[in-house]
Amino acid sequence: MPNLSLFPDVAAELKQLRSEINYHNNRYHTLDDPQISDAEYDRLLQKLKTLETQYPELITPDSPTQRVGATPLSEFVTVVHEMPMLSLDNAFSDDDLIAFNKRVQDRLKSVDEIEFACEVKLDGLAVSLLYRDGILVRGATRGDGTNGEDITQNVRTIGSIPLRLLGENFPQILEVRGEIYMPKAGFNKFNEKALAAGEKLFINPRNAAAGSLRQLDARITAIRPLEMCAYSVGLVEGFTEENKLPNCHTDILAALGSWGFLINRELKVAHNIDECLEYYRTIQLKRSDLAYDIDGIVFKVNSRKLQEELGFISRAPRWAIAYKFPAQEETTILLDVEFQVGRTGAVTPVARLQPVFVGGVTVSNATLHNRDEINRLGVKIGDTVIVLRAGDVIPKILAVIESKRPADARDIIFPEHCPVCGSKVETVPGEAVARCDGGLICAAQRKEAIKHFVSRKAMNVEGLGDKLVEQLVDLALINNLADIYKLTREQLANLERMGEKSADNILAALDVSKKTTLAKFIYALGIREVGESTARNFAKAYGTFEAFAGSDELGLQQVPDVGPVVAHFVFEFFQQENNRLAIEQLKAAGIYWPDEIAGMVDLPLAGLTYVLTGTLEALDRDDAKAHLLALGAKVSGSVSAKTNYVVAGPGAGSKLQKAEELGIKILSEADLLALFTQHGLTQHEQT
Ligand code: IVH
């Protein structure tokens, strides 16, 4: 211990600086509510570093400058846990959970309803953190529950782990237990960088967290985006009579929160088992919107007294249970690979899998994206693979289990000719995607172009679904976009599973679709790289279709967010005779858009940029976006200094944080609804 009395002023200044930095560190990492900008925080840290360089004898291990050690370890030392780190019993159905509740009530000889703490089950790694007199002295993995590994150097680098506890009222010895995990956004960013650098990718956030903690060199852990969330205490000693461990689990978590730990925001108290089931369903619905992976819900009897009465059975407490969600990852066999041709001719390899139940559904296909992805995975036909199906996204292959590769596994051969029309498949140098160069000669591209043209966000022809479009193209009743407006009642009524009534409905829907907007029409054409927002920019910039179609590449690049690539695709599109002809025919069929330009500049939200983040509960996200756009606002996917408003719902994470840092106005969903109402959108139109 340095003799502080030699430098009383400096020592006091250091103490003050450290406590200020610890406070802001907690606001940022744990409370997700920073009060100063990153730059100001960096200035404080820099000031501390400078002072510590002048007075190295005054550096303490809990100083915020001491998170990253410089000397790698040669091995991890084994740690014996003071109290074993137990695991949890699992429930896989509502009945299992109800049976758990009954066991608890029976054992307590209680007819009263039991209060449970409901927590998400974070999918990371369990960790034990030991604090003596408020200073972090050891971090350890769970290991086999009795012996773990000392990962103190690594846990010290994690911003949401306090090196020194905040406040005063903590016990002399405190062991905090929780989960270390990598949030999804950090994981994706990390893998994107690794992919660009040609490095090995992590399979999922859990493996990424495990790999990051298993580093002997903590400087590597320090640059991995890890978080830690506290969920219980282990050894606790040295509380005073007036100041003791709270009586229920949720109050213990609140105390941990006050000492600087991150406590998961989804924590709730349920007053009976029905409320537990309701919690399970609510979280299951928002699972894919959460910023981190979870694999179930943990229910814990809230009262510590009841917990003690219930005790333990083998290696798990009788007072807690993990109700697992259906797995989102499973292993299965890759039976074959087929090649699908998309709207723009992109040839996509699709894995045909031995059907497997994953993410709540039976999956028999998964995307393999492109040739690079096949090479990266090193996958062959016949391999055992890990499939991910999370939320509503298309299932994908995460990894190959090479040890299970059969002797007769076959290489995946990319076709040289289009499997649909036989045209050549071209790969543009520098592009991962291979494309059929058949254009609209290719029935697959024709089908996809028409499906896109009639889709909801394009011409919105109700009732003209994918299957029907395929039938119409196969029967050569439609060969180009304009043909859909030439369909007759007789042609439609004669189709399989179609009566006269349905035929009339489709004809009526086709008629309604003719009145559109310039932006939707441009989007509907399916020009490569021209999505909804770019189409809108073109419509705004040019005002008339003729001006847009006649512009040259340089002119097109003057439009916001349009670069040379998009400009080139647009220009090329209008150079093609068949496209010009189809457009003439569409206009002749009666497609029109009322003049909207005059109104556009005056739209109430013109010039404002909104970002939507987190879950919207009353509104569909696409609808909310469409309403904002209709009112003239721009809707962006990321927060920047140009953002005017961020609409944040439950589960909002890094975008909300950034908005707060930048001092951007935050709106709730209720504010958004009020805004829509104010601008004349009725409740019915909104939802
Ligand atoms: S409580 C005795 N709470 O799940 C109670 N565990 O299968 C021990 N986990 O190893 C754990 N989130 O790593 C608890 N909110 C949570 C949790 C949680 C994730 C993990 C933990 C543990 C495993 C138990």
mmCIF file with all atom_site columns, all heavy atoms in Angstrom, residues 86 88 119-122 126 142 179 231 298 300 317, ligand 1:
data_model
loop_
_atom_site.group_PDB
_atom_site.id
_atom_site.type_symbol
_atom_site.label_atom_id
_atom_site.label_alt_id
_atom_site.label_comp_id
_atom_site.label_asym_id
_atom_site.label_entity_id
_atom_site.label_seq_id
_atom_site.pdbx_PDB_ins_code
_atom_site.Cartn_x
_atom_site.Cartn_y
_atom_site.Cartn_z
_atom_site.occupancy
_atom_site.B_iso_or_equiv
_atom_site.pdbx_formal_charge
_atom_site.auth_seq_id
_atom_site.auth_comp_id
_atom_site.auth_asym_id
_atom_site.auth_atom_id
_atom_site.pdbx_PDB_model_num
ATOM   1   N N   . LEU A 1 86  ? -24.487 -24.771 -8.380  1.00 0.00 ? 86  LEU A N   1
ATOM   2   C CA  . LEU A 1 86  ? -25.429 -25.824 -8.763  1.00 0.00 ? 86  LEU A CA  1
ATOM   3   C C   . LEU A 1 86  ? -25.983 -25.598 -10.162 1.00 0.00 ? 86  LEU A C   1
ATOM   4   O O   . LEU A 1 86  ? -25.770 -24.546 -10.763 1.00 0.00 ? 86  LEU A O   1
ATOM   5   C CB  . LEU A 1 86  ? -26.574 -25.857 -7.754  1.00 0.00 ? 86  LEU A CB  1
ATOM   6   C CG  . LEU A 1 86  ? -26.105 -26.057 -6.320  1.00 0.00 ? 86  LEU A CG  1
ATOM   7   C CD1 . LEU A 1 86  ? -27.270 -25.923 -5.372  1.00 0.00 ? 86  LEU A CD1 1
ATOM   8   C CD2 . LEU A 1 86  ? -25.432 -27.417 -6.167  1.00 0.00 ? 86  LEU A CD2 1
ATOM   9   N N   . LEU A 1 88  ? -29.712 -26.330 -12.638 1.00 0.00 ? 88  LEU A N   1
ATOM   10  C CA  . LEU A 1 88  ? -31.158 -26.212 -12.448 1.00 0.00 ? 88  LEU A CA  1
ATOM   11  C C   . LEU A 1 88  ? -31.861 -27.410 -13.067 1.00 0.00 ? 88  LEU A C   1
ATOM   12  O O   . LEU A 1 88  ? -31.415 -27.943 -14.079 1.00 0.00 ? 88  LEU A O   1
ATOM   13  C CB  . LEU A 1 88  ? -31.683 -24.952 -13.135 1.00 0.00 ? 88  LEU A CB  1
ATOM   14  C CG  . LEU A 1 88  ? -31.305 -23.612 -12.538 1.00 0.00 ? 88  LEU A CG  1
ATOM   15  C CD1 . LEU A 1 88  ? -31.683 -22.488 -13.484 1.00 0.00 ? 88  LEU A CD1 1
ATOM   16  C CD2 . LEU A 1 88  ? -32.014 -23.427 -11.206 1.00 0.00 ? 88  LEU A CD2 1
ATOM   17  N N   . GLU A 1 119 ? -37.183 -14.887 -14.369 1.00 0.00 ? 119 GLU A N   1
ATOM   18  C CA  . GLU A 1 119 ? -36.001 -14.315 -15.034 1.00 0.00 ? 119 GLU A CA  1
ATOM   19  C C   . GLU A 1 119 ? -35.789 -15.000 -16.371 1.00 0.00 ? 119 GLU A C   1
ATOM   20  O O   . GLU A 1 119 ? -36.136 -16.170 -16.524 1.00 0.00 ? 119 GLU A O   1
ATOM   21  C CB  . GLU A 1 119 ? -34.744 -14.571 -14.177 1.00 0.00 ? 119 GLU A CB  1
ATOM   22  C CG  . GLU A 1 119 ? -34.779 -13.894 -12.842 1.00 0.00 ? 119 GLU A CG  1
ATOM   23  C CD  . GLU A 1 119 ? -33.638 -14.369 -11.943 1.00 0.00 ? 119 GLU A CD  1
ATOM   24  O OE1 . GLU A 1 119 ? -32.658 -14.930 -12.436 1.00 0.00 ? 119 GLU A OE1 1
ATOM   25  O OE2 . GLU A 1 119 ? -33.773 -14.179 -10.735 1.00 0.00 ? 119 GLU A OE2 1
ATOM   26  N N   . VAL A 1 120 ? -35.164 -14.289 -17.298 1.00 0.00 ? 120 VAL A N   1
ATOM   27  C CA  . VAL A 1 120 ? -34.784 -14.955 -18.549 1.00 0.00 ? 120 VAL A CA  1
ATOM   28  C C   . VAL A 1 120 ? -33.572 -15.834 -18.266 1.00 0.00 ? 120 VAL A C   1
ATOM   29  O O   . VAL A 1 120 ? -32.771 -15.530 -17.381 1.00 0.00 ? 120 VAL A O   1
ATOM   30  C CB  . VAL A 1 120 ? -34.457 -13.943 -19.667 1.00 0.00 ? 120 VAL A CB  1
ATOM   31  C CG1 . VAL A 1 120 ? -35.702 -13.207 -20.095 1.00 0.00 ? 120 VAL A CG1 1
ATOM   32  C CG2 . VAL A 1 120 ? -33.358 -12.981 -19.247 1.00 0.00 ? 120 VAL A CG2 1
ATOM   33  N N   . LYS A 1 121 ? -33.473 -16.926 -18.998 1.00 0.00 ? 121 LYS A N   1
ATOM   34  C CA  . LYS A 1 121 ? -32.294 -17.794 -18.848 1.00 0.00 ? 121 LYS A CA  1
ATOM   35  C C   . LYS A 1 121 ? -31.303 -17.403 -19.934 1.00 0.00 ? 121 LYS A C   1
ATOM   36  O O   . LYS A 1 121 ? -31.484 -17.720 -21.110 1.00 0.00 ? 121 LYS A O   1
ATOM   37  C CB  . LYS A 1 121 ? -32.705 -19.261 -18.969 1.00 0.00 ? 121 LYS A CB  1
ATOM   38  C CG  . LYS A 1 121 ? -31.576 -20.222 -18.669 1.00 0.00 ? 121 LYS A CG  1
ATOM   39  C CD  . LYS A 1 121 ? -32.098 -21.645 -18.520 1.00 0.00 ? 121 LYS A CD  1
ATOM   40  C CE  . LYS A 1 121 ? -31.023 -22.609 -18.072 1.00 0.00 ? 121 LYS A CE  1
ATOM   41  N NZ  . LYS A 1 121 ? -29.899 -22.714 -18.988 1.00 0.00 ? 121 LYS A NZ  1
ATOM   42  N N   . LEU A 1 122 ? -30.314 -16.649 -19.511 1.00 0.00 ? 122 LEU A N   1
ATOM   43  C CA  . LEU A 1 122 ? -29.328 -16.125 -20.464 1.00 0.00 ? 122 LEU A CA  1
ATOM   44  C C   . LEU A 1 122 ? -28.459 -17.254 -20.990 1.00 0.00 ? 122 LEU A C   1
ATOM   45  O O   . LEU A 1 122 ? -28.057 -18.141 -20.227 1.00 0.00 ? 122 LEU A O   1
ATOM   46  C CB  . LEU A 1 122 ? -28.463 -15.078 -19.759 1.00 0.00 ? 122 LEU A CB  1
ATOM   47  C CG  . LEU A 1 122 ? -29.257 -13.861 -19.284 1.00 0.00 ? 122 LEU A CG  1
ATOM   48  C CD1 . LEU A 1 122 ? -28.550 -13.173 -18.138 1.00 0.00 ? 122 LEU A CD1 1
ATOM   49  C CD2 . LEU A 1 122 ? -29.461 -12.903 -20.434 1.00 0.00 ? 122 LEU A CD2 1
ATOM   50  N N   . ALA A 1 126 ? -21.819 -19.394 -16.866 1.00 0.00 ? 126 ALA A N   1
ATOM   51  C CA  . ALA A 1 126 ? -21.972 -19.001 -15.466 1.00 0.00 ? 126 ALA A CA  1
ATOM   52  C C   . ALA A 1 126 ? -20.612 -18.537 -14.926 1.00 0.00 ? 126 ALA A C   1
ATOM   53  O O   . ALA A 1 126 ? -19.573 -19.080 -15.284 1.00 0.00 ? 126 ALA A O   1
ATOM   54  C CB  . ALA A 1 126 ? -22.466 -20.186 -14.662 1.00 0.00 ? 126 ALA A CB  1
ATOM   55  N N   . ARG A 1 142 ? -17.727 -21.773 -13.770 1.00 0.00 ? 142 ARG A N   1
ATOM   56  C CA  . ARG A 1 142 ? -18.452 -22.752 -12.974 1.00 0.00 ? 142 ARG A CA  1
ATOM   57  C C   . ARG A 1 142 ? -17.694 -24.075 -12.947 1.00 0.00 ? 142 ARG A C   1
ATOM   58  O O   . ARG A 1 142 ? -17.664 -24.748 -11.921 1.00 0.00 ? 142 ARG A O   1
ATOM   59  C CB  . ARG A 1 142 ? -19.842 -22.951 -13.586 1.00 0.00 ? 142 ARG A CB  1
ATOM   60  C CG  . ARG A 1 142 ? -20.657 -24.008 -12.917 1.00 0.00 ? 142 ARG A CG  1
ATOM   61  C CD  . ARG A 1 142 ? -22.057 -24.064 -13.522 1.00 0.00 ? 142 ARG A CD  1
ATOM   62  N NE  . ARG A 1 142 ? -22.864 -25.029 -12.819 1.00 0.00 ? 142 ARG A NE  1
ATOM   63  C CZ  . ARG A 1 142 ? -22.848 -26.339 -13.070 1.00 0.00 ? 142 ARG A CZ  1
ATOM   64  N NH1 . ARG A 1 142 ? -22.067 -26.817 -14.021 1.00 0.00 ? 142 ARG A NH1 1
ATOM   65  N NH2 . ARG A 1 142 ? -23.599 -27.165 -12.380 1.00 0.00 ? 142 ARG A NH2 1
ATOM   66  N N   . GLU A 1 179 ? -24.278 -14.525 -15.326 1.00 0.00 ? 179 GLU A N   1
ATOM   67  C CA  . GLU A 1 179 ? -23.981 -15.091 -16.640 1.00 0.00 ? 179 GLU A CA  1
ATOM   68  C C   . GLU A 1 179 ? -23.186 -14.075 -17.454 1.00 0.00 ? 179 GLU A C   1
ATOM   69  O O   . GLU A 1 179 ? -23.526 -12.886 -17.483 1.00 0.00 ? 179 GLU A O   1
ATOM   70  C CB  . GLU A 1 179 ? -25.316 -15.391 -17.344 1.00 0.00 ? 179 GLU A CB  1
ATOM   71  C CG  . GLU A 1 179 ? -25.216 -16.358 -18.483 1.00 0.00 ? 179 GLU A CG  1
ATOM   72  C CD  . GLU A 1 179 ? -25.265 -17.828 -18.051 1.00 0.00 ? 179 GLU A CD  1
ATOM   73  O OE1 . GLU A 1 179 ? -25.179 -18.113 -16.834 1.00 0.00 ? 179 GLU A OE1 1
ATOM   74  O OE2 . GLU A 1 179 ? -25.367 -18.690 -18.946 1.00 0.00 ? 179 GLU A OE2 1
ATOM   75  N N   . TYR A 1 231 ? -27.364 -12.868 -11.295 1.00 0.00 ? 231 TYR A N   1
ATOM   76  C CA  . TYR A 1 231 ? -28.652 -13.501 -11.000 1.00 0.00 ? 231 TYR A CA  1
ATOM   77  C C   . TYR A 1 231 ? -28.749 -14.122 -9.601  1.00 0.00 ? 231 TYR A C   1
ATOM   78  O O   . TYR A 1 231 ? -29.792 -14.623 -9.233  1.00 0.00 ? 231 TYR A O   1
ATOM   79  C CB  . TYR A 1 231 ? -29.079 -14.489 -12.076 1.00 0.00 ? 231 TYR A CB  1
ATOM   80  C CG  . TYR A 1 231 ? -28.099 -15.606 -12.397 1.00 0.00 ? 231 TYR A CG  1
ATOM   81  C CD1 . TYR A 1 231 ? -27.701 -16.521 -11.436 1.00 0.00 ? 231 TYR A CD1 1
ATOM   82  C CD2 . TYR A 1 231 ? -27.612 -15.747 -13.693 1.00 0.00 ? 231 TYR A CD2 1
ATOM   83  C CE1 . TYR A 1 231 ? -26.828 -17.546 -11.738 1.00 0.00 ? 231 TYR A CE1 1
ATOM   84  C CE2 . TYR A 1 231 ? -26.731 -16.775 -14.005 1.00 0.00 ? 231 TYR A CE2 1
ATOM   85  C CZ  . TYR A 1 231 ? -26.343 -17.670 -13.020 1.00 0.00 ? 231 TYR A CZ  1
ATOM   86  O OH  . TYR A 1 231 ? -25.476 -18.671 -13.331 1.00 0.00 ? 231 TYR A OH  1
ATOM   87  N N   . VAL A 1 298 ? -36.171 -18.853 -16.093 1.00 0.00 ? 298 VAL A N   1
ATOM   88  C CA  . VAL A 1 298 ? -35.893 -19.449 -14.785 1.00 0.00 ? 298 VAL A CA  1
ATOM   89  C C   . VAL A 1 298 ? -36.920 -18.900 -13.791 1.00 0.00 ? 298 VAL A C   1
ATOM   90  O O   . VAL A 1 298 ? -37.120 -17.685 -13.714 1.00 0.00 ? 298 VAL A O   1
ATOM   91  C CB  . VAL A 1 298 ? -34.464 -19.114 -14.293 1.00 0.00 ? 298 VAL A CB  1
ATOM   92  C CG1 . VAL A 1 298 ? -34.184 -19.828 -12.969 1.00 0.00 ? 298 VAL A CG1 1
ATOM   93  C CG2 . VAL A 1 298 ? -33.428 -19.509 -15.333 1.00 0.00 ? 298 VAL A CG2 1
ATOM   94  N N   . LYS A 1 300 ? -37.896 -18.820 -9.764  1.00 0.00 ? 300 LYS A N   1
ATOM   95  C CA  . LYS A 1 300 ? -37.305 -19.070 -8.443  1.00 0.00 ? 300 LYS A CA  1
ATOM   96  C C   . LYS A 1 300 ? -38.302 -18.669 -7.365  1.00 0.00 ? 300 LYS A C   1
ATOM   97  O O   . LYS A 1 300 ? -38.864 -17.565 -7.444  1.00 0.00 ? 300 LYS A O   1
ATOM   98  C CB  . LYS A 1 300 ? -36.031 -18.225 -8.263  1.00 0.00 ? 300 LYS A CB  1
ATOM   99  C CG  . LYS A 1 300 ? -34.974 -18.512 -9.319  1.00 0.00 ? 300 LYS A CG  1
ATOM   100 C CD  . LYS A 1 300 ? -33.798 -17.539 -9.229  1.00 0.00 ? 300 LYS A CD  1
ATOM   101 C CE  . LYS A 1 300 ? -32.800 -17.840 -10.327 1.00 0.00 ? 300 LYS A CE  1
ATOM   102 N NZ  . LYS A 1 300 ? -31.769 -16.818 -10.462 1.00 0.00 ? 300 LYS A NZ  1
ATOM   103 N N   . PRO A 1 317 ? -31.418 -26.883 -6.804  1.00 0.00 ? 317 PRO A N   1
ATOM   104 C CA  . PRO A 1 317 ? -32.335 -26.462 -5.738  1.00 0.00 ? 317 PRO A CA  1
ATOM   105 C C   . PRO A 1 317 ? -33.762 -26.932 -6.035  1.00 0.00 ? 317 PRO A C   1
ATOM   106 O O   . PRO A 1 317 ? -34.142 -27.016 -7.191  1.00 0.00 ? 317 PRO A O   1
ATOM   107 C CB  . PRO A 1 317 ? -32.262 -24.935 -5.798  1.00 0.00 ? 317 PRO A CB  1
ATOM   108 C CG  . PRO A 1 317 ? -31.793 -24.603 -7.165  1.00 0.00 ? 317 PRO A CG  1
ATOM   109 C CD  . PRO A 1 317 ? -30.989 -25.768 -7.662  1.00 0.00 ? 317 PRO A CD  1
HETATM 110 S S1  . IVH B 2 .   ? -29.863 -19.561 -11.334 1.00 0.00 ? 1   IVH B S1  1
HETATM 111 C C1  . IVH B 2 .   ? -29.078 -22.618 -8.217  1.00 0.00 ? 1   IVH B C1  1
HETATM 112 N N1  . IVH B 2 .   ? -30.645 -17.782 -13.094 1.00 0.00 ? 1   IVH B N1  1
HETATM 113 O O1  . IVH B 2 .   ? -28.401 -21.669 -16.315 1.00 0.00 ? 1   IVH B O1  1
HETATM 114 C C2  . IVH B 2 .   ? -29.401 -21.635 -9.251  1.00 0.00 ? 1   IVH B C2  1
HETATM 115 N N2  . IVH B 2 .   ? -29.181 -19.499 -13.820 1.00 0.00 ? 1   IVH B N2  1
HETATM 116 O O2  . IVH B 2 .   ? -28.913 -24.680 -15.780 1.00 0.00 ? 1   IVH B O2  1
HETATM 117 C C3  . IVH B 2 .   ? -28.388 -21.569 -10.296 1.00 0.00 ? 1   IVH B C3  1
HETATM 118 N N3  . IVH B 2 .   ? -28.527 -19.310 -16.170 1.00 0.00 ? 1   IVH B N3  1
HETATM 119 O O3  . IVH B 2 .   ? -25.418 -22.667 -14.838 1.00 0.00 ? 1   IVH B O3  1
HETATM 120 C C4  . IVH B 2 .   ? -28.616 -20.757 -11.433 1.00 0.00 ? 1   IVH B C4  1
HETATM 121 N N4  . IVH B 2 .   ? -29.653 -17.489 -16.615 1.00 0.00 ? 1   IVH B N4  1
HETATM 122 O O4  . IVH B 2 .   ? -25.364 -20.490 -16.087 1.00 0.00 ? 1   IVH B O4  1
HETATM 123 C C5  . IVH B 2 .   ? -29.917 -18.886 -12.878 1.00 0.00 ? 1   IVH B C5  1
HETATM 124 N N5  . IVH B 2 .   ? -31.394 -16.107 -14.519 1.00 0.00 ? 1   IVH B N5  1
HETATM 125 C C6  . IVH B 2 .   ? -30.661 -17.211 -14.304 1.00 0.00 ? 1   IVH B C6  1
HETATM 126 C C7  . IVH B 2 .   ? -29.889 -17.807 -15.329 1.00 0.00 ? 1   IVH B C7  1
HETATM 127 C C8  . IVH B 2 .   ? -29.166 -18.965 -15.036 1.00 0.00 ? 1   IVH B C8  1
HETATM 128 C C9  . IVH B 2 .   ? -28.831 -18.404 -17.098 1.00 0.00 ? 1   IVH B C9  1
HETATM 129 C C10 . IVH B 2 .   ? -27.662 -20.487 -16.399 1.00 0.00 ? 1   IVH B C10 1
HETATM 130 C C11 . IVH B 2 .   ? -26.559 -20.635 -15.387 1.00 0.00 ? 1   IVH B C11 1
HETATM 131 C C12 . IVH B 2 .   ? -26.633 -22.024 -14.837 1.00 0.00 ? 1   IVH B C12 1
HETATM 132 C C13 . IVH B 2 .   ? -27.582 -22.704 -15.780 1.00 0.00 ? 1   IVH B C13 1
HETATM 133 C C14 . IVH B 2 .   ? -28.443 -23.671 -14.995 1.00 0.00 ? 1   IVH B C14 1
#
